[in-house]
Amino acid sequence: MLALRLSLGAHPAVQLRRLLVATASAGTGFLLLSALGHALGHPDPSVSALRLAWCAAPLAATVYFAVAVARTDPGTRPRPGLSAIGLGPARLMAISALTTALSCLLGSALALLAFLQLRGDLTGMPVDGAATDFLAAGRPLPLPAALTLLALVPLTASVAVAMALRPREPVTGAPRAVHAYGRFGAYRRTAALESFGAYGRFGKQLAASARVRRTAGAAPERGGAAVLERDGAAAPGRDGAGDTPGTADGSGAAAGPGSADGSGAGTVTDIPAPAAHTPPSGLPWGITVLAVGLAVEAFASRSGTGSPADRPAALLGLALACVGLALAGPGLTHLCGRMLQTARPGALRLLAGRVLMTEATRLGRPLGVVCAVTAAAYAMASLHEREDASSGPLVALGVLLVAGCTVATLLTAAVESRQARADTTAALRLLGAPTVTLRRAAALRAGVLLALFGPLSLVVAQLSAWPLTG
């Protein structure tokens, strides 16, 4: 009952995103049923199989959008209070997958009703027109085949959500200590070799143990800062008021890393700064795949004079170019953030660039997919003007589905990024940062991304459309 309340009692924006998932599922289900109707009306199986293969792009876009919506659902996010009543990460993952399946099932049911209405099975008045040959109005519709095709979207989306939100083991930063045996079976914590008789030297092992305790007791409370321990304060590693970590007899003769003298008045333990943001590793691969795709298209345009359907290498080159754009998206987003922080950046550029570098993978991946879909849509639109336009409504529906799902996924990723930065934004406002500055930083990020990805998409679209129309 609580799981049902978590799913139904969500914010209206969350319910709107679920309705958008149902709408995308309805469009994809209608395209799958149209492929089935075309197969019933035409005896050639190759053409029907090609129409069914073209439905893979709307199916992938719908599943991609469903996973993005499931990520931003606050009702199924793991929280400490829910684990005590049996709703742990695994149970919440199952609830999210079930919610996605229900949304997609609603869309599939709407697609089936619309298809039956256009065929005339519900009212007995089928729609007339030359472009309705995919309905197969005069033939009986095989219900098992229709239900199998309609089950593809809910099943694939729920499995993808379960794989994306599955509980993962926490990755610890410190490697596991490996004990090595030294002389007389004692544990050796260092790889340095000891000279003869050094193990039994007075005070050597005591100083080593004190150094180990001091290293283990220095907890990294905040990155890049220093923890100051003064006399009289209760600090880890001290046995008395005057004992200082790093000494064997408590006299304070050995100074800590940050003390100015050996008096033991204070010990400063330096904590290493957090690691810099590593750029995503997909940029070189994305550029390579993009260059290979454009080269394959150029070679296909020189080797043949027929239509692109007779030259599958041209379509293969277009697919490789789109995959390259999608792979290069996170790296290009990280590069935009680094460029914003060059040449003496101010607070505004520093804040905008740091956010782009942090959210490079979350924002760059759907942004690269949007650019790839834009380039492919432009190239296929120039090809469609030269080909037969008998299946115009279905092509328009497919393009609208893919473009709408990718743009909606990008907006949903922006919402997820905003939710992930909620604590940082609250801390900045608590420190006195004005709201106008945060809005200007968001506008600056959007402007830089548009300035880079917009011309890049147009250039790749032109280069991809030229071999197809040549």
Side-chain angles (χ1 to χ4, degrees):
M1 196 65 183
L2 180 59
L4 183 61
R5 292 183 61 183
L6 286 175
S7 301
L8 297 181
H11 196 269
V14 179
Q15 302 290 359
L16 177 61
R17 290 195 289 267
R18 291 174 181 172
L19 288 178
L20 290 178
V21 171
T23 304
S25 176
T28 306
F30 188 83
L31 289 178
L32 292 172
L33 292 177
S34 301
L36 177 61
H38 186 273
L40 294 176
H42 297 78
D44 190 4
S46 60
V47 179
S48 301
L50 183 60
R51 282 176 173 262
L52 186 61
W54 277 110
C55 297
L59 176 62
T62 303
V63 172
Y64 190 45
F65 179 47
V67 172
V69 170
R71 285 181 181 273
T72 57
D73 192 352
T76 57
R77 187 172 301 166
R79 283 167 285 183
L82 297 179
S83 299
I85 58 177
L87 289 178
R91 185 71 62 85
L92 290 177
M93 178 267 296
I95 293 174
S96 182
L98 180 60
T99 304
T100 304
L102 290 177
S103 300
C104 295
L105 281 175
L106 176 61
S108 299
L110 292 177
L112 181 60
L113 290 177
F115 189 76
L116 294 178
Q117 176 67 29
L118 293 178
R119 277 173 49 91
D121 294 340
L122 298 180
T123 59
M125 298 176 60
V127 179
D128 297 331
T132 58
D133 57 343
F134 55 87
L135 295 176
R139 294 175 175 83
L141 183 67
L143 190 59
L147 294 180
T148 301
L149 289 177
L150 289 176
L152 284 178
V153 180
L155 183 61
T156 309
S158 59
V159 171
V161 168
M163 293 298 295
L165 302 182
R166 69 186 185 275
R168 295 177 175 86
E169 293 293 333
V171 180
T172 57
R176 185 178 179 180
V178 178
H179 297 289
Y181 290 99
R183 289 188 178 92
F184 306 106
Y187 288 120
R188 181 194 299 168
R189 300 181 183 274
T190 176
L193 298 178
E194 299 174 352
S195 60
F196 179 77
Y199 187 83
R201 190 175 300 162
F202 177 75
K204 179 176 177 60
Q205 303 303 321
L206 294 178
S209 301
R211 283 196 301 270
V212 171
R213 289 197 303 269
R214 182 184 60 190
T215 305
E221 297 180 359
R222 54 182 67 90
V227 179
L228 179 61
E229 300 176 358
R230 301 186 181 276
D231 289 338
R238 291 190 177 186
D239 298 331
D243 294 343
T244 305
T247 62
D249 54 357
S251 60
S259 60
D261 52 7
S263 60
T267 302
V268 179
T269 304
D270 292 331
I271 299 173
H277 296 284
T278 56
S281 58
L283 183 58
W285 290 102
I287 294 177
T288 303
V289 174
L290 175 61
V292 169
L294 295 178
V296 168
E297 283 193 276
F299 178 77
S301 65
R302 295 180 56 185
S303 60
T305 57
S307 63
D310 300 331
R311 290 174 290 158
L315 299 178
L316 177 61
L318 177 61
L320 288 177
C322 294
V323 171
L325 270 180
L327 290 177
L332 293 177
T333 305
H334 188 276
L335 182 61
C336 288
R338 187 172 293 275
M339 290 173 58
L340 275 177
Q341 300 178 75
T342 57
R344 292 187 176 183
L348 185 63
R349 286 198 294 146
L350 192 63
L351 178 61
R354 184 63 62 176
V355 170
L356 282 182
M357 292 176 64
T358 306
E359 305 292 334
T361 303
R362 183 181 284 115
L363 292 177
R365 191 172 299 165
L367 191 56
V369 173
V370 168
C371 294
V373 169
T374 302
Y378 182 84
M380 297 307 295
S382 61
L383 173 64
H384 182 67
E385 292 178 356
R386 301 164 55 94
E387 301 291 336
D388 186 18
S390 59
S391 59
L394 294 180
V395 171
L397 178 60
V399 171
L400 182 62
L401 272 175
V402 174
C405 287
T406 51
V407 173
T409 303
L410 177 59
L411 297 178
T412 307
V415 172
E416 183 184 2
S417 175
R418 184 179 179 181
Q419 292 176 357
R421 300 193 317 269
D423 296 338
T424 305
T425 305
L428 289 175
R429 290 178 177 175
L430 186 62
L431 292 174
T435 309
V436 179
T437 303
L438 300 179
R439 292 177 180 175
R440 288 179 179 175
L444 182 60
R445 293 194 300 268
V448 169
L449 292 177
L450 184 61
L452 177 65
F453 282 93
L456 178 63
S457 301
L458 293 178
V459 169
V460 174
Q462 290 286 348
L463 292 177
S464 301
W466 170 63
L468 294 176
T469 57

